[in-house]
Amino acid sequence: MKTFKNVCAQGDVQFFKRDKLPAGLKQDPAINNVIVVTHSETGHNHVMEIDRKDDPAVEMFTGDNPLISWIKVNRPTSLDHQKSYDVHESIMFDEGVYEVRRQREYTPNGFRRAQD
Amino acid sequence: MGKIESLTEEQEAKLPEYAAKWIAIGKDVSALNKEAIKIHMIGYLSGHKLNDYFWCGSPMSIMIVALLLNHDSFVDMPDGCTPKKPIDKVAMRNAIFDEDNNQKISWKELDALALEHYTIHQLNWYVEEDINKCNFGQQDAAWLSFYHVMKSLLGVKLDPRIDDMFALAEHSNWIKATGNIAFCSEKPVYITATDDLGRAHCETGPYILYPDGWSTYCWHGTQIPRYFIENKEQLTPGVALTLPNMEQRRAACEILGWDKILTELNARVINEDGDPEIGKLLEVDLPDLGTERFLQVQCGTGRTFALPVPPEMETALQAQSWTWGMDEVNFFKPEVRT
């Protein structure tokens, strides 16, 4: 499985390793034992398994910007793409804090998240 | 049981048998085994026996029929859950099904009936919300093959209902159980050949067609609107590049061919990065919309996408950075992109 040190991308989501979480974030709950890092309107989400509810391998946080989230990886965890074809290969994350940026595209009214 | 780190040679040698079995289940177009469905639904529902089974002509029909015959179950619907006009459940049932509970009208007729009672907005919301509440069936062959290998080949202990789920995949298509009623879709009339990577794909018609006439179109695994294939004159370069969904936009661009798009829209290359994952900044003349800029870029899977970017972008790197909400000074090319 692919690994990285500072910056990686899986499809339309990019990750930047940071020193710490910013203040004022809200934690997002895991659903069915996974955090959905990026929702896809066709169900091909990018997800990470929390492994154990009481001691999660990864936690997700959001602030005001819907295009940016944060994850705190407590144990090495893979980022997986829930698709059975044209799948983006899984990437292994080491412990640490990562800024998550979702790709956007231009519209005459401003911009919107790139939808897949 | 500990984590399985690797397979033995013997286990690996058996994987193709599982793959062949489940691909055959996924592509099966034979008639439903209704008695087997009833038996395994009891097992799947942990002993609960359903009162009634309705046999529908397609997965879309099970969704719409479940709404029309159980409309009082859906309370979260936008615009209010109340139908535009009252539904007489007995009359509705008789209009849709014969005495053996087999759907007797086509998908088009059922769709028209649904639109007499609900707005298109309500129907879209309901189908998107509720489709995930369907049972496992033939359509889940890919996932169930994984669990079959885990259970039968590797000895992993699973939910005891898994054998009923395997059997339902073999004998049924989509099933939606609501209260004491199950709405079951017939299997497709045909599923066309897939592309060389096994993805849903048909260049000449629907990829999958059901007995009541409902069908869906696919291009290398991406679901696309019917007109991409059946009314190609409507799919112009201008339409292709302005589709809101980028997977469909990519499929439309592939169907038309990038050469045609670039030629017909008088595309100019404003800047090209040496790295195809950073991309090529294009300017095109879109009919009725004027001049627009696009970043033509290759993703980690090797496919080419086009992302609209602001008109002030001057380089591919600047445009690539903008799509991530950054400027090119703070943008770092990923060490790994998949």
Side-chain angles (χ1 to χ4, degrees), chain B residues 48-336:
Chain B
H48 177 67
K49 189 175 178 185
L50 299 171
N51 293 339
D52 253 327
Y53 282 81
F54 287 90
W55 310 103
C56 304
S58 66
M60 192 57 85
S61 288
I62 70 169
M63 298 302 298
I64 298 302
V65 168
L67 177 65
L68 293 174
L69 298 187
N70 277 286
H71 54 89
D72 30 17
S73 308
F74 303 103
V75 294
D76 299 327
M77 191 174 274
D79 303 338
C81 62
T82 311
K84 286 192 284 186
K85 79 181 191 191
I87 297 177
D88 176 337
K89 286 189 184 181
V90 175
M92 185 63 79
R93 183 229 167 277
N94 292 336
I96 301 171
F97 294 97
D98 66 17
E99 61 275 14
D100 296 321
N101 284 359
N102 294 309
Q103 184 178 325
K104 65 182 183 185
I105 61 175
S106 69
W107 156 248
K108 273 191 179 172
E109 291 166 319
L110 181 61
D111 191 33
L113 204 53
L115 287 168
E116 281 178 25
H117 295 83
Y118 288 99
T119 64
I120 189 71
H121 178 48
Q122 285 176 313
L123 292 174
N124 285 341
W125 176 89
Y126 155 75
V127 171
E128 279 181 23
E129 280 289 309
D130 241 53
I131 191 84
N132 291 328
K133 295 175 190 164
C134 286
N135 294 58
F136 277 91
Q138 180 188 16
Q139 73 282 1
D140 295 301
W143 289 112
L144 290 167
S145 68
F146 169 77
Y147 289 110
H148 193 204
V149 167
M150 288 294 134
K151 178 175 188 275
S152 301
L153 189 62
L154 306 182
V156 175
K157 194 174 175 190
L158 298 172
D159 186 312
R161 299 174 302 165
I162 195 75
D163 288 327
D164 292 300
M165 292 158 77
F166 293 154
L168 284 169
E170 198 166 337
H171 299 302
S172 78
N173 192 252
W174 289 75
I175 299 177
K176 181 170 177 53
T178 307
N180 276 319
I181 304 174
F183 301 95
C184 307
S185 170
E186 297 287 348
K187 291 191 180 185
V189 175
Y190 72 73
I191 303 173
T192 57
T194 49
D195 69 6
D196 54 349
L197 295 177
R199 300 171 298 190
H201 179 72
C202 184
E203 299 180 17
T204 54
Y207 165 70
I208 190 165
L209 175 69
Y210 278 83
D212 67 0
W214 184 80
S215 63
T216 189
Y217 291 75
C218 287
W219 182 266
H220 295 295
T222 298
Q223 195 173 1
I224 54 173
R226 183 176 186 274
Y227 74 90
F228 278 23
I229 300 294
E230 303 284 8
N231 301 94
K232 283 194 171 132
E233 69 283 358
Q234 291 178 25
L235 182 59
T236 61
V239 168
L241 277 181
T242 51
L243 288 162
N245 182 292
M246 67 177 179
E247 286 281 5
Q248 290 191 341
R249 193 186 310 148
R250 176 189 56 77
C253 291
E254 286 176 11
I255 290 169
L256 286 169
W258 272 105
D259 285 348
K260 183 175 180 178
I261 290 170
L262 300 183
T263 305
E264 287 198 15
L265 297 179
N266 188 27
R268 282 87 63 193
V269 178
I270 303 297
N271 175 255
E272 183 170 3
D273 195 280
D275 181 346
E277 291 186 351
I278 298 297
K280 197 188 284 185
L281 182 62
L282 303 175
E283 187 172 78
V284 300
D285 299 325
L286 289 175
D288 304 324
L289 291 173
T291 302
E292 300 263 353
R293 290 196 173 185
F294 287 84
L295 182 67
Q296 188 186 25
V297 67
Q298 198 178 77
C299 84
T301 62
R303 297 171 301 154
T304 300
F305 288 83
L307 295 169
V309 294
E312 63 270 21
M313 295 294 110
E314 294 295 341
T315 67
L317 180 61
Q318 184 189 17
Q320 173 75 235
S321 308
W322 180 90
T323 68
W324 299 105
M326 307 175 101
D327 58 38
E328 63 265 49
V329 177
N330 293 313
F331 176 78
F332 293 96
K333 187 177 180 246
E335 303 146 43
V336 167

Side-chain angles (χ1 to χ4, degrees), chain A residues 54-91:
Chain A
D54 54 349
D55 180 21
V58 58
E59 299 164 276
M60 189 158 95
F61 304 85
T62 47
D64 296 332
N65 187 337
L67 292 171
I68 298 177
S69 294
W70 297 76
I71 55 172
K72 182 168 174 280
V73 179
N74 302 315
R75 291 189 295 282
T77 304
S78 67
L79 171 73
D80 303 314
H81 184 212
Q82 290 181 320
K83 201 173 180 185
S84 53
Y85 54 86
D86 292 332
V87 67
H88 295 286
E89 193 181 333
S90 294
I91 300 173

